Amino acid sequence: MSSSATAMAEEAPDLVCQIEHVQGLVDALSAVRWKRHQDAVVELSEHGIVLIVQESGCLQAKVYLKRELFVRFDYNAQGRPRFGVSLGLFVDCLNAFSVPGQSSMIQIQYPGPDMQVLLKKVDTPDVSIYAEIRTRIPDTMPWDFNFEPAGTNPLTFTVKSAVLKEAIEDLEWPGSSIQIILQPVPPSVTLKGEGHGDLQIDLMYYANTDLLVAFQCDHRVSFKYKYKFLRATTTNIPSSVIKENRGSKLSIGRGGLLKVQHLVSIVKHSASHTYVDSAGYQQPGRIAYIEFFVKPDEVEDATND
């Protein structure tokens, strides 16, 4: 390779990728935007892009964008570059490229000449539309919550996303906590809020299989979580998730750490974009994986051991 070719290779950006259906990407990132001013850490790798937001040492959310979501994914970096960015600014810029009811393809490049994220619309050859987003060195590194099962068998349940969102909204007591109780007999999930009174929502597994679609628990557990953190896990669930009648999976790990998982379609079904999972089930689109981790506020009793 000539010296000029070597120099060009060395100057190649860490990442150049292209993605269709910008609105799906906006939906996925908006799902972890629980307040107006929010910083995010973006991590790049040969496997895709991970965006991480966190607050108060008690709440963290991750959006996983696997490389299969992109129609182009040229990764040239060594290691896993990280940079900080304003989540609100990033979402607003992406939203500017989205046209309701139409497919839009954009190119994302990092870094630009001044370490920016560069966005460019690439499916309109007669019009040039681009944006530059300033990045910064992250103030803190994302925490590693190291989610571990609470015992030999997992403690987990899957509930329709719309039901979960509505239940948490109904349990609102400002400044309070929400108690989550799982018990094997009868197999059920209880969500309980306390304020000027008590409000309790019971989801019985066998009686509500259209709402509580999966359940796994071999001993009773009970943990409390700050309402504002629990609400953040559902407050911006995309309307597409509700329309597709998707389910959200909740798992309780060692120490009461709560993991909430959502799936958001990025690319709608087409002949050229078909996603098939490990079980052979053909999804209606390619999926972004969203995970929230919430630390417990208070342990109720020794049954959690």
Side-chain angles (χ1 to χ4, degrees):
M1 181 180 291
S2 66
S3 59
S4 59
T6 301
M8 291 179 62
E10 292 175 349
E11 295 173 0
D14 290 343
L15 176 66
V16 177
C17 60
Q18 294 179 355
I19 190 169
E20 289 183 306
H21 300 281
V22 181
Q23 186 58 50
L25 182 56
V26 171
D27 287 347
L29 298 184
S30 297
V32 300
R33 186 181 180 185
W34 56 76
K35 62 182 182 181
R36 182 177 180 85
H37 299 291
Q38 205 165 357
D39 292 329
V41 174
V42 179
E43 180 179 279
L44 310 178
S45 77
E46 67 274 17
H47 304 295
I49 301 173
V50 181
L51 182 137
I52 308 167
V53 290
Q54 56 192 22
E55 182 179 345
S56 302
C58 296
L59 174 64
Q60 183 184 83
K62 295 182 177 181
V63 180
Y64 296 90
L65 305 170
K66 294 186 176 182
R67 66 179 299 151
E68 290 79 12
L69 290 173
F70 301 88
V71 296
R72 175 187 175 190
F73 197 89
D74 297 337
Y75 185 76
N76 304 295
Q78 299 295 323
R80 297 192 172 190
R82 284 176 172 170
F83 59 87
V85 68
S86 164
L87 178 60
L89 181 60
F90 194 20
V91 169
D92 290 345
C93 285
L94 288 169
N95 207 30
F97 288 87
S98 176
V99 179
Q102 297 184 22
S103 172
S104 301
M105 183 182 294
I106 64 167
Q107 177 173 290
I108 303 173
Q109 176 184 321
Y110 176 83
D114 294 319
M115 303 303 292
Q116 326 98 306
V117 173
L118 305 179
L119 306 178
K120 181 180 179 181
K121 192 170 177 61
V122 294
D123 55 359
T124 53
D126 297 330
V127 180
S128 178
I129 304 176
Y130 69 96
E132 298 182 3
I133 304 174
R134 181 172 296 178
T135 65
R136 52 182 172 270
I137 299 174
D139 294 332
T140 58
M141 300 307 292
W143 313 304
D144 183 3
F145 278 114
N146 191 26
F147 185 88
E148 297 180 356
T152 55
N153 296 313
L155 301 170
T156 181
F157 62 96
T158 300
V159 62
K160 293 297 184 182
S161 300
V163 174
L164 178 64
K165 178 179 173 65
E166 183 178 353
I168 292 176
E169 290 176 350
D170 287 346
L171 290 169
E172 180 175 6
W173 297 103
S176 69
S177 299
I178 301 298
Q179 184 179 4
I180 299 180
I181 305 169
L182 274 67
Q183 55 185 8
V185 182
S188 60
V189 177
T190 298
L191 305 175
K192 184 177 180 181
E194 298 178 353
H196 297 293
D198 292 338
L199 181 60
Q200 181 170 309
I201 298 174
D202 294 314
L203 297 174
M204 310 301 293
Y205 180 47
Y206 294 123
N208 304 111
T209 53
D210 55 335
L211 304 179
L212 187 60
V213 297
F215 180 85
Q216 197 168 1
C217 171
D218 62 358
H219 64 282
R220 183 185 185 276
V221 291
S222 173
F223 290 96
K224 291 184 178 181
Y225 304 90
K226 281 292 186 185
Y227 176 79
K228 64 177 181 178
F229 295 145
L230 199 59
R231 185 176 184 274
T233 67
T234 62
T235 187
N236 285 320
I237 290 179
S239 59
S240 60
V241 173
I242 305 300
K243 291 177 181 177
E244 293 167 6
N245 202 26
R246 289 192 180 277
S248 297
K249 182 178 180 181
L250 290 82
S251 305
I252 296 178
R254 188 177 300 277
L257 182 63
L258 178 68
K259 179 166 67 173
V260 183
Q261 298 170 291
H262 307 298
L263 304 179
V264 178
S265 293
I266 297 293
V267 181
K268 301 302 181 183
H269 173 72
S270 68
S272 59
H273 291 94
T274 302
Y275 175 82
V276 179
D277 66 14
S278 59
Y281 176 74
Q282 182 170 297
Q283 300 281 2
R286 295 191 177 183
I287 304 298
Y289 295 84
I290 298 175
E291 290 184 345
F292 289 87
F293 298 92
V294 186
K295 286 187 177 181
D297 177 43
E298 180 181 342
V299 177
E300 184 197 33
D301 53 42
T303 59
N304 298 297
D305 298 327

